[in-house]
């Protein structure tokens, strides 16, 4: 009977949290009950539903929604071991982009670890670019940008790769490893530009016969005697 009542209480406080997402009392009671009954999945669901109930702010997510989604993501990933569910919740915070810098950095670090498959390369590239702008240590920022540039090349996004390499070179860290990185970046940048130049030349060559044929066709299509007096 006691377990039944606690299970009913879980649903009661879950509903309260969705109705009033700002209620810290409802959240705390729900967490305690969910831990006792093994229903932390229900707790995470209620947090996400509470964030949904708050709607959107003019500049992204309300601060309370960020808190609820982050907590839900942590429970999904670290307690329940559902990586995909955690990534989806963190990604909502990332896409909104208006969380406090410290929270957004934490989200980026977590997503960087969760987006490890080939199918998530594009998502991971965006995360690395954002994270590189938030990390406080210059060597960490450099390494993230070099990795982002490498991924951008793999995805065929030369402009993003060049931008990342240019930022690394502009920072010019005064350390030996930095000098090695600069040489590596220079070679990579040169390779990207060479490929783009070669591609452009081939396009121009391929299009040249078309232009000549077009010119000849136009010339042959003139009525005989045109231009004569």
């Amino acid at each position: 009977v006691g377990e039944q009542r606690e299970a009913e209480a879980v649903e009661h406080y879950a509903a309260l949290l969705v109705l009033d997402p700002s209620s810290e009392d409802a959240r705390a009671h729900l967490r305690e009950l969910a831990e006792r009954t093994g229903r932390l999945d229900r707790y995470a669901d209620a947090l996400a539903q509470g964030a949904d109930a708050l709607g959107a702010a003019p500049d992204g997510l309300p601060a309370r929604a960020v808190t609820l989604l982050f907590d839900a993501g942590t429970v999904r990933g670290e307690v329940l071991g559902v990586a995909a569910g955690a990534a989806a919740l963190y990604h909502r915070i990332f896409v909104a982009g208006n969380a406090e810098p410290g929270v957004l950095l934490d989200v980026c670090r977590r997503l960087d670890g969760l987006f490890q498959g080939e199918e998530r390369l594009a998502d991971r590239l965006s995360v690395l670019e954002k994270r590189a702008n938030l990390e406080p240590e210059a060597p960490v920022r450099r390494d993230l940008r070099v990795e982002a540039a490498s991924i951008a090349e793999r995805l065929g996004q030369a402009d993003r790769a060049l931008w990342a390499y240019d930022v690394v070179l502009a920072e010019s860290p005064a350390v030996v490893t930095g000098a090695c990185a600069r040489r590596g970046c220079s070679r990579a940048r040169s390779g990207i530009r060479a490929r783009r130049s070669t591609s452009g030349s081939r396009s121009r060559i391929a299009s040249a016969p078309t232009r000549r044929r077009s010119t000849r066709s136009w010339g042959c299509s003139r009525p005989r005697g045109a231009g004569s007096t």
Side-chain angles (χ1 to χ4, degrees), residues 85-101:
L89 292 163
Y90 291 139
H91 198 243
R92 290 178 59 183
I93 300 173
F94 176 79
V95 170
N98 67 315
E100 292 294 325

Side-chain angles (χ1 to χ4, degrees), residues 206-220:
S207 64
T210 301
R211 289 196 298 271
R212 287 197 295 270
R213 285 194 299 269
S214 176
T215 301
R216 287 197 296 270
S217 297
W218 174 255
C220 293

Side-chain angles (χ1 to χ4, degrees), residues 60-220:
L61 289 172
R64 179 62 174 174
V66 171
T67 299
L68 295 176
L69 289 171
F70 189 89
D71 193 8
T74 301
V75 172
R76 285 283 181 203
E78 297 182 5
V79 181
L80 299 174
V82 184
L89 292 163
Y90 291 139
H91 198 243
R92 290 178 59 183
I93 300 173
F94 176 79
V95 170
N98 67 315
E100 292 294 325
V103 174
L104 192 54
L105 175 57
D106 198 352
V107 165
C108 288
R109 288 170 175 169
R110 290 166 186 256
L111 286 174
D112 190 10
L114 291 167
F115 288 163
Q116 291 299 315
E118 287 290 321
E119 71 281 0
R120 302 309 299 265
L121 274 181
D123 290 326
R124 185 159 182 255
L125 173 58
S126 297
V127 168
L128 287 171
E129 289 172 338
K130 174 63 73 174
R131 182 182 169 190
N133 291 331
L134 296 169
E135 286 286 356
E137 299 295 329
V140 176
R141 293 196 300 271
R142 180 195 64 219
D143 291 345
L144 291 171
R145 285 183 175 124
V146 170
E147 187 172 7
S150 176
I151 292 175
E153 285 190 76
R154 290 169 62 186
L155 294 173
Q157 300 186 25
D159 289 339
R160 291 173 79 174
L162 286 171
W163 180 86
Y165 283 135
D166 285 342
V167 174
V168 172
L169 292 170
E171 289 188 350
S172 301
V175 291
V176 174
T177 54
C180 294
R182 286 197 296 276
R183 287 195 294 273
C185 288
S186 296
R187 286 195 297 270
R189 290 164 72 245
S190 298
I192 293 171
R193 288 196 168 101
R195 288 195 297 273
R196 291 174 67 185
S197 177
T198 300
S199 176
S201 297
R202 288 174 179 170
S203 297
R204 288 191 295 273
I205 291 171
S207 64
T210 301
R211 289 196 298 271
R212 287 197 295 270
R213 285 194 299 269
S214 176
T215 301
R216 287 197 296 270
S217 297
W218 174 255
C220 293

